[in-house]
């Protein structure tokens, strides 16, 4: 199901996501839903939310959910930072998955990367105590940068990442592994803090917005061409 964002700041209007008796798992950059729809099918007692910027992928994800009859899988077309900051319930997400975000390898573009203080603040606010962030990338420098962000944040502790077989690889992971690229994975859990403060209003200059949903590495062949085909659609802010 596609979750419609009708107002910029109130929580998402999707009652199943806010059923606090059911756990919630969230994937940032869910793509066409290969990973998340598989988890939803295997875990009917949990709610799943995918966050994706590209319109074509959102519709493919929704089509898979309808064909498979997955009432517990949802997708929203929005920026991940904004979604975490405003639209998710507090301390309810059991697991957040960020697999193969755009690394923005050029130094002048590093401000577009998802991981940074703003995202970590919002991530901690949405994870339940003991909830996990699962991260994977093929980009070694970005991996070490993310490690440094978490190492400097006392609200998180490093844990062993989940073990995923081929049936749980994302579309990009399948592609990268097929190219023989090394995969770097890590995970962190949320810790309780004595002094919890509300999130300050989000103010990010347009040129500094994280853009985790756009993939710009031309070596991806068919995936790259398909991304370019739908680039114009992605510029429309349909929410």
């Amino acid at each position: 199901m596609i979750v419609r964002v009708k107002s910029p700041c109130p929580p998402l209007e999707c009652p199943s996501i806010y059923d606090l008796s059911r756990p919630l798992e969230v994937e940032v950059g869910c793509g066409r839903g290969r990973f998340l729809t598989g988890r939803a099918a295997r875990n009917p007692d949990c709610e799943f939310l995918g966050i994706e910027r590209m319109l074509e992928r959102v519709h493919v994800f929704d089509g898979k959910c309808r064909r498979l009859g997955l009432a517990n899988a949802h997708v929203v077309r929005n920026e991940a930072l904004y979604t975490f900051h405003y639209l998710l319930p507090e301390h309810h997400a059991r697991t957040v998955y960020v697999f193969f975000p755009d690394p923005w390898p050029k130094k002048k573009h590093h401000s577009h990367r998802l991981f940074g203080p703003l995202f970590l603040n919002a991530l901690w606010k949405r994870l339940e105590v003991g909830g996990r962030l699962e991260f994977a990338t093929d980009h070694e420098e970005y991996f070490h940068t993310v490690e440094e962000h978490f190492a400097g944040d006392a609200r998180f502790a490093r844990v062993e990442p989940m073990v995923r077989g081929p049936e749980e690889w994302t579309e990009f992971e399948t592609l990268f592994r097929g190219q023989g690229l090394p995969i770097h994975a890590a995970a962190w859990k949320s810790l309780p803090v004595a002094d919890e403060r509300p999130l300050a209003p989000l103010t990010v200059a347009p040129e500094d917005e994280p853009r985790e949903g756009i993939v710009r590495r031309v070596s991806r062949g068919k995936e790259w061409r398909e991304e370019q085909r739908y680039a114009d659609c992605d510029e429309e802010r349909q929410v």
Side-chain angles (χ1 to χ4, degrees):
M1 181 181 78
I2 298 177
V3 180
R4 305 295 178 182
V5 179
K6 298 180 180 179
S7 186
C9 291
L12 294 172
E13 294 182 5
C14 186
S16 57
I17 293 177
Y18 292 93
D19 181 352
L20 300 185
S21 68
R22 292 168 62 85
L24 171 67
E25 297 190 0
V26 182
E27 184 183 7
V28 174
C30 62
R32 296 171 176 84
R34 185 178 190 272
F35 170 75
L36 208 63
T37 57
R39 283 198 63 81
R42 291 187 293 272
N43 299 274
D45 295 329
C46 181
E47 298 295 331
F48 295 86
L49 176 68
I51 303 170
E52 176 56 55
R53 291 185 71 251
M54 295 194 69
L55 181 60
E56 180 264 350
R57 293 178 179 178
V58 169
H59 287 304
V60 172
F61 183 108
D62 184 52
K64 286 183 180 179
C65 293
R66 294 176 185 277
R67 289 194 302 274
L68 297 172
L70 298 176
N72 63 331
H74 324 276
V75 62
V76 61
R77 185 171 186 243
N78 214 334
E79 290 282 358
L81 175 60
Y82 181 90
T83 303
F84 273 79
H85 199 90
Y86 288 112
L87 304 181
L88 298 181
E90 289 192 10
H91 299 304
H92 181 54
R94 178 172 68 183
T95 311
V96 173
Y97 305 99
V98 184
F99 293 145
F100 305 93
D102 194 320
W104 292 94
K106 293 183 179 179
K107 188 172 183 179
K108 65 180 180 180
H109 294 150
H110 283 186
S111 62
H112 296 324
R113 290 175 167 180
L114 175 64
F115 284 94
L118 288 176
F119 180 66
L120 263 63
N121 287 342
L123 172 67
W124 182 85
K125 196 74 169 178
R126 305 311 167 193
L127 282 172
E128 66 182 16
V129 175
R132 296 166 59 98
L133 181 283
E134 296 279 351
F135 172 63
T137 179
D138 63 306
H139 195 278
E140 185 175 7
E141 182 272 330
Y142 190 23
F143 179 74
H144 293 314
T145 299
V146 172
E147 287 183 309
E148 292 172 3
H149 281 304
F150 278 101
D153 195 320
R155 296 170 298 179
F156 298 93
R158 190 158 183 171
V159 295
E160 286 297 315
M162 67 186 296
V163 177
R164 295 178 293 113
E167 72 281 358
E168 290 192 303
W169 293 348
T170 67
E171 292 94 336
F172 283 138
E173 182 168 6
T174 301
L175 179 66
F176 296 158
R177 288 185 182 275
Q179 295 174 347
L181 297 177
I183 304 301
H184 310 279
W188 293 266
K189 70 176 182 179
S190 172
L191 302 176
V193 300
D195 182 20
E196 180 174 351
R197 301 179 182 180
L199 293 173
L202 184 61
T203 56
V204 182
E207 64 271 18
D208 291 334
E209 287 184 355
R211 302 179 185 180
E212 73 289 338
I214 303 176
V215 176
R216 301 190 183 279
R217 281 173 285 177
V218 298
S219 63
R220 290 176 176 172
K222 180 181 178 182
E223 280 285 343
W224 167 255
R225 291 192 295 274
E226 289 180 359
E227 299 255 13
Q228 293 305 293
R229 178 184 175 190
Y230 291 99
D232 292 339
C233 294
D234 191 46
E235 293 303 319
E236 305 168 7
R237 172 69 74 176
Q238 176 175 321
V239 295

